[in-house]
Amino acid sequence: MRDFDSIWTELEPWLAGLESRREAVVRRLITGIVAVVPGGLAVILVLSALGLPGGLAVFAAIILVSILIGIVSAPFHALRTEVKHGLNNRLAAAFDLRYAPKPGNPAHFDSFRSHGLIPNSDQREFEDHFSGEAHGAEFELYEAVLRQRRRSRKRTYYVTVFRGVLIRVAFPRTIEGVTLITRDQGIFNALDGLMRSANGRRLERIGLVDPKFERIFQVYGTDQVMARYLMTPTFMERVLSLETALKGKNVRGVFDEALADGFGRGELLLAAETGNLFEPGSLFKPLNARERVETLYRDFELIEEIIALVLAPDEKPEWMA
């Protein structure tokens, strides 16, 4: 991983070169909106004067205004996408990662759901896929936004039920069976335990010796011995540290031997609600502002921290020292 100052030295000229385009697309967007909205009101008046019912006139004006705003804002959104992909590609290379704007095949998405790490969803969006190798293990991370469809008597709408990162790690230690790390459910732990199963096998609650860990998490497994082999005091410290690094955003995970698929001896899946990461910031501010890239750089440090905590707790990047 390169230090931020050297990365900024390379990125600043590129961003400065895009500044005139940014100013132009922002002017076009503002000018277009100022012109389109009054035009929409004029359309309503004209259609109403021609005898079209008021509701239909408003609907037609809304459709027209939406189309025109889409046209005038297209260059704005195109530049934002160009800046985002350019920054993420360059920063990923600096962190020895590979970047793809959209994951071609989201890693084990169905397994995340079947293990209860993420909720059911009717709409799914995936973006910002990163992959690489650390401490001899392959890993990948991507963002997911999941929405559920809701209905009322008058309309159908969608509610976001998960926004965060999904992480897949080829775990370097031998994994047998399934060991699930989920959130503590308080008085509902007993009921939660009765409902847990994996690959047709019932998961039993695993009693651990760390009271701090057990206040936050519950662990279930198909094999008590294997679960304790994986959930060492050191690894529990890693998970607690990861919870802190992500600011308490509901980290949960599973070790599963069935997920290896030639990728390793077994895999660890992690889900965390992190909000929307890896974004380039507002185009209404100068592109070559140092704080814009610093914010994005911290998102990449988070990837580094996650992998370091999961795979090598005694080896920390220099910036974590």
Side-chain angles (χ1 to χ4, degrees), residues 218-286:
Q218 288 288 305
V219 177
Y220 301 91
T222 55
D223 186 315
Q224 293 272 345
V225 174
M226 175 55 61
R228 291 191 174 90
Y229 164 76
L230 293 169
M231 300 301 299
T232 63
T234 299
F235 185 78
M236 285 188 281
E237 289 177 9
R238 301 183 201 178
V239 176
L240 290 170
S241 297
L242 182 57
E243 183 87 352
T244 301
L246 292 169
K247 299 180 175 61
K249 297 295 184 180
N250 295 332
V251 177
R252 55 267 198 190
V254 64
F255 293 97
D256 192 342
E257 67 173 350
L259 301 178
D261 296 336
F263 196 55
R265 289 175 291 179
E267 294 188 7
L268 169 64
L269 304 182
L270 293 168
E273 297 167 25
T274 57
N276 196 11
L277 303 176
F278 314 111
E279 294 301 318
S282 173
L283 257 63
F284 290 97
K285 298 178 180 179

Side-chain angles (χ1 to χ4, degrees), residues 104-122:
N105 183 25
H108 288 321
F109 178 78
D110 290 338
S111 295
F112 280 99
R113 177 64 201 100
S114 65
H115 285 299
L117 301 180
I118 53 177
N120 284 320
S121 57
D122 300 294

Side-chain angles (χ1 to χ4, degrees), residues 125-128 141-145 164-165 275-279:
E125 295 178 16
F126 306 107
E127 64 175 355
D128 298 333
L141 172 154
Y142 59 97
E143 288 191 286
V145 180
V165 295
N276 196 11
L277 303 176
F278 314 111
E279 294 301 318

Side-chain angles (χ1 to χ4, degrees), residues 147-188:
R147 300 183 183 90
Q148 290 179 355
R149 183 170 55 247
R150 306 284 171 82
R151 291 187 176 90
S152 66
R153 283 190 291 182
K154 294 185 176 181
R155 65 190 183 100
T156 298
Y157 59 99
Y158 290 85
V159 175
T160 299
V161 292
F162 178 87
R163 179 187 291 274
V165 295
L166 303 179
I167 306 162
R168 175 198 197 199
V169 181
F171 204 66
R173 299 172 67 186
T174 299
I175 295 173
E176 295 177 5
V178 173
T179 299
L180 178 68
I181 308 164
T182 187
R183 310 299 297 189
D184 185 88
Q185 301 291 318
I187 61 173
F188 298 104

